[in-house]
Amino acid sequence: MADVASPLQFGDPPRLGPFVVQARLHSAPAGFVYLGQAPDGRAVSLAVLTRGAAVDAAARDRFVTALREAAATDRTSVRSWLGWTSKTQASVVEDVPPVLGMNTGHAPWVAVPYVPGKPGAERFLEPVMVGGTLIGLAHGPDFVPYWLTDRAPALAPPRLRRPLTETRRRVLIAAAALLVLLVLMATIVLLMLLLGRSSGDPMPRQLPPTVFQPTAPPTPATPEPREPTPSPTQSPSRSGEETPGRSPGDDSSQEPQL
């Protein structure tokens, strides 16, 4: 299969994990192969299942099994290089490139180093398709999966956010305006307090608390005894009527003539 890159089309993923998708390399019945770039700058080959194959649990399981066996083979080769030997199992796909990254979720993909002219990530798409059943020396009818017509790349669903309705938007705007108004009013009150304290008279100092000690009431002085003063005596008056006569102050010229 010739490595002829074509531009990305509508629906192709811009990124797969940490790898940037740059162009489309192959289009197989089970998935797509892209040319990408790793974070360290080297070229990688990326394989993604179609949306129909990712929905089929059996097809997705065959793809994920190939990925896990390839990753286990890489760990086994490292152990052998370090001198550790372990019993290996027969892999689903032979001669696969080393796996640089993969995702085994509902939209699985794999990334391997890209080398022009050598097999890339398309090798992992081969076990997804199932051919005819072998009966003796002849093959039975080819098996056509029901999902073959769904040719869109399988992408992980985006994280859905709660849509912002008009009522909720208005409530948020009103709450933000109220918060700004409260902050502005608090700032104005604080400035007025600071200016009033700086321009006015200094506040009087608080006097120390006084201790009240009650004193005894004053005792009155003893008055000195005084001698009694004689009161004027009056001549006793005679009882009965007085005889008429002249009083000492009457004039003799006013006596009646006989």
Side-chain angles (χ1 to χ4, degrees):
M1 189 178 294
D3 296 334
V4 179
S6 61
L8 296 176
Q9 300 180 12
F10 178 78
D12 289 335
R15 296 182 66 93
L16 289 174
F19 305 99
V20 179
V21 180
Q22 296 177 335
R24 180 184 287 191
L25 292 177
H26 308 297
S27 177
F32 298 90
V33 181
Y34 299 100
L35 176 64
Q37 186 178 11
D40 56 1
R42 57 177 169 173
V44 295
S45 175
L46 301 163
V48 183
L49 289 180
T50 61
R51 190 165 53 190
V55 171
D56 187 0
R60 186 177 66 250
D61 184 67
R62 289 191 291 270
F63 182 73
V64 171
T65 300
L67 300 184
R68 291 175 176 172
E69 288 186 355
T73 303
D74 295 340
R75 290 193 295 267
T76 302
S77 61
V78 172
R79 291 177 181 178
S80 300
W81 182 76
L82 293 175
W84 302 341
T85 57
S86 61
K87 189 176 181 179
T88 60
Q89 299 178 353
S91 60
V92 177
V93 184
E94 299 290 342
D95 300 331
V96 292
V99 176
L100 300 178
M102 64 179 182
N103 184 7
T104 58
H106 293 284
W109 53 266
V110 63
V112 300
Y114 172 73
V115 180
K118 291 187 177 182
E122 67 273 5
R123 293 279 294 168
F124 295 96
L125 297 176
E126 296 176 1
V128 179
M129 297 299 296
V130 178
T133 304
L134 181 62
I135 303 177
L137 299 177
H139 290 276
D142 291 336
F143 173 76
V144 179
Y146 69 93
W147 45 260
L148 196 60
T149 56
D150 195 350
R151 298 287 303 156
L155 303 178
R159 295 181 179 178
L160 299 178
R161 298 181 61 183
R162 186 179 179 182
L164 188 63
T165 60
E166 186 66 23
T167 304
R168 189 180 178 190
R169 184 183 295 108
R170 291 180 180 179
V171 171
L172 292 177
I173 293 175
L178 181 60
L179 180 61
V180 172
L181 182 61
L182 291 177
V183 172
L184 183 61
M185 292 179 61
T187 305
I188 293 175
V189 171
L190 182 61
L191 290 177
M192 291 178 63
L193 292 176
L194 293 177
L195 293 176
R197 181 175 296 182
S198 60
S199 61
D201 296 334
M203 297 182 63
R205 296 181 180 179
Q206 187 177 3
L207 297 177
T210 58
V211 180
F212 176 74
Q213 295 181 356
T215 57
T219 56
T222 305
E224 297 179 359
R226 296 182 180 180
E227 295 180 358
T229 57
S231 59
T233 58
Q234 298 179 357
S235 60
S237 60
R238 296 180 180 179
S239 61
E241 297 180 356
E242 295 181 359
T243 56
R246 292 185 304 175
S247 62
D250 292 339
D251 191 3
S252 61
S253 62
Q254 296 179 356
E255 293 182 354
Q257 297 180 2
L258 299 176

